[in-house]
Amino acid sequence: TEQNKGVSHARNIGISNIMDMVDIFLIVDSDDIMRPEKIQKSIEVMKKYPNVSVVYSDYTMMYASGQPDQREYKHPFETEVLGRDCIVCGNSVISKRALQSVGLYDENFKMCEDYDLWIRMANVSVLYHIPEDLFIYRVKEGSLTSNPQDPIWQEHRIKLMQKYSRKPPADTNGDNN
C-alpha cells in the first residue's frame, strides 16, 4: 500500500489533473456543506473584480460533540491581518491564474497548507471576503484542525511563520480555516 502523503499532496494531484479544463477551483472537504449560493456569489465577485484570485466567506461551525453551532465571522481581507492570523477559510474559490502564478500547495505542510497558499496569493493578487455565512464546516472531536493546541498544529504554524520570517503570535491559537 502507498503511504498517505497528506492533504496537500492529494489536493495537488486533483488540481493538476483538471488544471487545463477549468479556470476556477473550489477545495471542499467531504464533510463540509456548501450553501446553494456559495459558488454563484463567489464567481460573481471574480467576474466583477478581475484582480481577485481568492473569494472567501463567513461560515457556520457544526460540532459533532453536540455543542451549539457557531457562526464564524472572518475578517475582511487586509495583508497585515493575514500576516498575523489566517483570516481566509479553506473552502474558498481560487482562480487558476493565481495558482499558476504562485504554485500549488506546499507539500511540506501537513497543517496550515491553506494558510501558506493564501499568504503566497496575497503577494500577487487580491483576496476578497463575502461577509455572509456560505457554508457549514463540520468539526469532529479529535481532528487536528479542531485543536490548535495539538503539537502537530503548533509545529506547522511555527514552521509557516519561519518560512515568511515572521514571529508566531504568543498564543499561536490562529484559526486554520
Side-chain angles (χ1 to χ4, degrees):
T1 59
E2 189 174 322
Q3 178 184 357
N4 181 338
K5 296 181 182 176
V7 69
S8 296
H9 180 74
R11 288 177 179 174
N12 287 344
I13 288 172
I15 291 169
S16 297
N17 283 332
I18 63 169
M19 183 69 86
D20 294 336
M21 296 181 258
V22 300
D23 293 321
I24 297 173
F25 295 87
L26 173 59
I27 308 299
V28 181
D29 293 335
S30 64
D31 59 345
D32 294 340
I33 301 168
M34 295 292 113
R35 305 252 189 238
E37 63 276 14
K38 165 87 173 158
I39 295 171
Q40 178 184 344
K41 286 186 176 199
S42 298
I43 290 173
E44 287 172 359
V45 167
M46 288 186 152
K47 284 181 178 179
K48 185 174 181 179
Y49 305 108
N51 60 334
V52 170
S53 64
V54 175
V55 179
Y56 65 104
S57 68
D58 299 339
Y59 53 91
T60 294
M61 295 179 71
M62 180 189 305
Y63 296 91
S65 65
Q67 73 184 75
D69 292 352
Q70 177 182 334
R71 170 84 181 264
E72 183 74 19
Y73 295 91
K74 302 310 271 183
H75 194 284
F77 177 70
E78 290 182 47
T79 304
E80 182 180 317
V81 176
L82 181 64
R84 292 189 312 266
D85 189 28
C86 187
I87 58 174
V88 181
C89 57
N91 289 320
S92 298
V93 174
I94 308 167
S95 76
K96 173 169 75 173
R97 166 184 41 80
L99 285 170
Q100 289 172 324
S101 176
V102 303
L104 301 180
Y105 289 91
D106 182 340
E107 295 184 20
N108 292 309
F109 287 100
K110 303 302 179 211
M111 298 292 303
C112 302
E113 72 285 342
D114 50 354
Y115 192 4
D116 172 68
L117 185 63
W118 310 143
I119 291 171
R120 289 185 283 134
M121 288 189 171
N123 287 324
V124 299
S125 63
V126 175
L127 287 64
Y128 188 97
H129 173 247
I130 298 175
E132 295 178 41
D133 178 359
L134 294 179
F135 72 94
I136 298 170
Y137 178 78
R138 295 188 203 204
V139 181
K140 297 176 186 164
E141 288 185 59
S143 70
L144 291 176
T145 55
S146 70
N147 182 9
Q149 298 305 318
D150 186 282
I152 295 171
W153 199 100
Q154 292 280 339
E155 172 190 338
H156 284 87
R157 172 100 170 150
I158 291 167
K159 183 176 168 180
L160 177 79
M161 293 296 124
Q162 289 171 340
K163 178 177 179 178
Y164 295 102
S165 300
R166 296 181 175 142
K167 183 179 177 190
D171 65 0
T172 62
N173 279 337
D175 183 10
N176 188 39
N177 299 308

